[in-house]
Amino acid sequence: MSETAQQDRVRPWRFADWFVRHGRMLVIGLPMLWLMIFFLAPFFVVFKISVSELAIARPPYLPLTSWEDGKLILTLNLGNFQYLIEDSLYVSSYLTSIRIAFFSTIFALLLGYPMAYVIARSTGHRRNILLMLVMLPFWTSFLLRVYAWIGILKANGVINNFLMWTGVIDSPIVMMQTDFATYVGIVYTYLPFMILPLYANLAKLDTTLLEASSDLGARPLTTFLTITLPLSIPGIVAGSMLVFIPAIGEFVVPTLLGGPDTLMIGRVLWSEFFNNRDWPVASAVAMAMLVLLVLPVMWLRRAQSQQEAG
Amino acid sequence: MQKTGFFMRFITVLGFVFLYAPILSLVIYSFNESRLVTVWGGFSTKWYGELLKDPQILSAAWISLKIAFTSASIALVLGTLTALVLVRFGRFRLRELLNGMITAPLVMPEVITGLSLLLLFVVMESWLGWPSQRGFTTIVIAHTTFCMAFVAVIIESRLSDMDESIEEAAGDLGARPVRVFFDITLPTIAPALVSAWLLAFTLSLDDLVIASFVSGPGSSTLPMVVFSKVRLGVSPDVNALATIMIGAIGLGVVIATILLLRQEKRAE
């Protein structure tokens, strides 16, 4: 025993030895440290700047603490939040965001559920190919896919050209720069996020239950409503939240497809930051958006842990 | 197996048309002679020529590729470590914190991620003097942070499907954890590593919002240049660019899928 201890002592320091002893800590520590610095810490910075005062300086806000007559003074400016509540622009952009995200989620669910159901019920190669077809648009540029809709929806775009050619309409329908175009863009962008968790849920569904139900004489619709639908609720919640949460903060779709009055929070934050250079108000908008997202995120996590538990 | 109803199948077909019609129209109109993107003026490849002569697009594409390569590679290492820790390391203090921090970026609205990281960089600059200017490095850090979350999800599901007994056997035979990881775990999850890296690469290549916040002068990425063009209306050379990107990515994904299927067959 003492001999090996002595050997240990005389052996020169080697990284391999050190790694065996402390490797676990290093492996945990590396990603932990990265995420703490670049994911967690930024939120504290946003909070700090949301309670600071706008200034014509570089960076454009005043420090929270100052030193005067030997006193350390901490100034928390709640004016930015007050401003958000009092100015009707922010309140209405909040309501617009919630409305658009909510209805987009409903539309994505109505379109995505049958797709997930059909994929889950197909087998072998067919299932793999259908799944890949759902995933493939997700791999191609999101910006360019949203851009494609401009060419389809605009006054002399694909749809209007076709309808005028067939003689259904005489003058083009206005679709671009409307809420309609925004809904189309958001449903289009986030549809795979709805389909994939629903698929994962429906594929695991115990099909003997369905057979039992039809053996006992239930019609397909009854079986669907009493067995499939209730059992797929965790998938519905997970998919819906995966659409709703990012849709709330969506910037690209309302900017490219929506009209000037399609004001969503993401767009307001962007213009406060880039056009008005009002960092404190932009930070306050971000904080308010985070508060709005707490409940959906908790709901998502619960649905996901239910899914995992099966 | 119960048959799916007509209604369900009809909606599914409609859904796939909805997913692919815009992509198809992009490709078709990229070969349009006319400057008016949606008026057909005959077949032409001139917009591809225009695109290759546009120095702004070319340099932005080069910057974007460099950023995507670097951040996908760092994200692969950090994301794989995170997945390994979450799946194999059992319970430890702060496990829930790590789990929360790695899943939150998946759903975090991009404007918040972008704004918060930029503000962090500004504060760090005034406290530490680093990063002294925003550009390549800050975009790579930002992209790594959200890409590693996607990497971790993919690797996590692969690791929990993996047969742990091989790792245990190697350990019982005296292999150290590091050796087990490099000799057993890593080769087994290699296909998942490839698809995770590819996903991280495309996500980084595609990002507009976060890059807009954390970039600096002279480091406009491809999506930033495209966005400023598209904001002014449709332009035919963007269609050509889209077709090239869709072609390259589609080809890559199809090849990767075929290789994975072949490997699975061989494993059987």
Side-chain angles (χ1 to χ4, degrees):
Chain A
M1 213 34 209
S2 63
E3 210 170 292
T4 53
Q6 218 165 13
Q7 263 178 1
D8 265 354
R9 214 170 297 141
V10 291
R11 248 166 67 178
W13 187 88
R14 272 167 49 200
F15 178 72
D17 293 331
W18 181 86
F19 190 83
V20 168
R21 219 163 294 148
H22 302 280
R24 189 183 151 92
M25 212 175 70
L26 188 75
V27 171
I28 297 178
L30 210 59
M32 187 80 105
L33 203 65
W34 180 285
L35 287 169
M36 277 180 165
I37 296 174
F38 296 119
F39 185 73
L40 203 58
F43 291 109
F44 293 101
V45 179
V46 173
F47 176 71
K48 180 196 142 183
I49 291 171
S50 75
V51 292
S52 67
E53 222 164 310
L54 181 69
I56 302 170
R58 234 190 99 109
Y61 55 86
L62 293 177
L64 294 187
T65 48
S66 51
W67 189 254
E68 242 171 67
D69 301 331
K71 278 181 281 187
L72 182 68
I73 299 167
L74 177 72
T75 324
L76 294 179
N77 174 23
L78 296 177
N80 302 317
F81 289 97
Q82 201 183 347
Y83 179 54
L84 290 193
I85 296 167
E86 282 168 3
D87 194 322
S88 64
L89 173 90
Y90 298 101
V91 178
S92 79
S93 79
Y94 264 76
L95 297 176
T96 308
S97 292
I98 295 174
R99 192 191 74 222
I100 290 182
F102 178 76
F103 285 111
S104 304
T105 308
I106 301 284
F107 295 141
L109 182 63
L110 292 178
L111 190 57
Y113 197 98
M115 294 178 79
Y117 186 84
V118 169
I119 298 171
R121 287 287 159 273
S122 55
T123 46
H125 267 308
R126 199 188 160 85
R127 180 193 266 201
N128 285 336
I129 289 171
L130 289 177
L131 261 183
M132 200 176 89
L133 283 176
V134 170
M135 291 287 287
L136 210 54
F138 183 71
W139 288 78
T140 51
S141 170
F142 151 71
L143 179 62
L144 293 171
R145 281 183 296 129
V146 173
Y147 157 78
W149 280 101
I150 301 178
I152 294 179
L153 296 175
K154 66 183 185 143
N156 58 349
V158 176
I159 291 181
N160 275 319
N161 279 355
F162 178 75
L163 290 178
M164 298 219 317
W165 178 68
T166 53
V168 177
I169 51 166
D170 299 325
S171 55
I173 311 169
V174 179
M175 287 179 284
M176 266 304 290
Q177 305 204 323
T178 58
D179 284 3
F180 168 74
T182 312
Y183 284 122
V184 169
I186 292 181
V187 172
Y188 178 69
T189 311
Y190 295 110
L191 190 59
F193 291 93
M194 178 64 87
I195 296 176
L196 293 175
L198 273 174
Y199 161 78
N201 176 284
L202 288 169
K204 276 192 298 190
L205 199 80
D206 187 357
T207 49
T208 53
L209 288 175
L210 306 178
E211 280 161 25
S213 162
S214 71
D215 287 349
L216 292 171
R219 286 206 232 131
L221 186 66
T222 317
T223 307
F224 177 75
L225 289 179
T226 52
I227 298 181
T228 313
L229 200 59
L231 282 175
S232 59
I233 283 176
I236 294 176
V237 174
S240 299
M241 291 305 105
L242 284 178
V243 175
F244 183 83
I245 297 166
I248 280 283
E250 184 54 49
F251 164 75
V252 176
V253 176
T255 308
L256 289 182
L257 301 179
D261 53 335
T262 318
L263 271 183
M264 292 181 70
I265 323 174
R267 219 173 151 185
V268 170
L269 191 156
W270 181 284
S271 68
E272 281 300 344
F273 183 83
F274 285 102
N275 307 342
N276 303 348
R277 286 190 58 80
D278 193 335
W279 293 16
V281 164
S283 304
V285 172
M287 290 310 294
M289 203 195 301
L290 278 175
V291 170
L292 186 64
L293 293 178
V294 167
L295 220 61
V297 167
M298 278 164 56
W299 213 13
L300 172 69
R301 291 208 61 172
R302 216 184 59 186
Q304 278 173 335
S305 55
Q306 270 173 356
Q307 286 248 61
E308 272 164 35
Chain B
M1 182 103 338
Q2 225 195 0
K3 274 200 78 171
T4 47
F6 170 77
F7 177 73
M8 290 276 197
R9 273 179 290 161
F10 177 71
I11 299 272
T12 306
V13 172
L14 215 66
F16 279 113
V17 170
F18 178 65
L19 280 179
Y20 282 91
I23 297 177
L24 198 67
S25 87
L26 267 185
V27 175
I28 292 173
Y29 283 108
S30 74
F31 295 107
N32 187 3
E33 168 80 40
S34 165
R35 173 165 280 283
L36 293 163
V37 175
T38 48
V39 179
W40 188 254
F43 181 85
S44 157
T45 52
K46 73 169 177 193
W47 301 116
Y48 289 86
E50 297 271 294
L51 191 68
L52 295 178
K53 275 183 280 181
D54 188 335
Q56 199 194 4
I57 284 205
L58 288 182
S59 76
W62 180 234
I63 293 174
S64 277
L65 286 172
K66 279 192 291 188
I67 289 173
F69 184 85
T70 318
S71 29
S73 306
I74 306 174
L76 186 69
V77 175
L78 290 173
T80 306
L81 285 182
T82 314
L84 192 75
V85 164
L86 288 176
V87 179
R88 289 280 192 271
F89 277 31
R91 287 177 183 283
F92 58 91
R93 258 184 306 165
L94 303 179
R95 185 182 185 281
E96 275 315 300
L97 177 70
L98 185 66
N99 198 10
M101 286 193 303
I102 200 72
T103 46
L106 298 176
V107 289
M108 191 58 66
E110 288 169 317
V111 281
I112 294 186
T113 313
L115 176 76
S116 63
L117 268 169
L118 169 77
L119 297 180
L120 175 84
F121 290 138
V122 169
V123 167
M124 278 172 90
E125 190 192 344
S126 69
W127 284 2
L128 312 170
W130 183 90
S132 58
Q133 64 178 42
R134 292 189 290 278
F136 183 83
T137 316
T138 49
I139 300 176
V140 165
I141 289 173
H143 283 184
T144 301
T145 308
F146 86 90
C147 288
M148 68 187 272
F150 285 86
V151 171
V153 169
I154 294 179
I155 305 297
E156 244 181 281
S157 76
R158 183 70 192 86
L159 279 177
S160 34
D161 285 345
M162 187 182 154
D163 188 3
E164 244 177 293
S165 58
I166 318 171
E167 287 173 353
E168 280 162 17
D172 291 344
L173 291 171
R176 286 178 168 177
V178 182
R179 181 125 188 247
V180 175
F181 177 74
F182 281 105
D183 285 1
I184 311 278
T185 317
L186 219 48
T188 317
I189 63 169
L193 291 174
V194 173
S195 50
W197 188 89
L198 279 174
L199 182 63
F201 185 81
T202 51
L203 284 171
S204 163
L205 205 59
D206 198 22
D207 166 66
L208 164 75
V209 175
I210 296 172
S212 299
F213 276 98
V214 299
S215 79
S219 63
S220 289
T221 61
L222 189 59
M224 288 164 72
V225 172
V226 169
F227 185 67
S228 62
K229 264 177 176 286
V230 165
R231 249 188 153 163
L232 307 171
V234 275
S235 69
D237 47 345
V238 173
N239 281 28
L241 176 73
T243 306
I244 293 175
M245 288 179 68
I246 289 167
I249 292 165
L251 200 70
V253 171
V254 170
I255 290 174
T257 314
I258 292 172
L259 287 179
L260 282 182
L261 286 178
R262 201 174 279 174
Q263 203 197 16
E264 268 171 34
K265 230 174 236 170
R266 209 181 299 145
E268 278 169 23

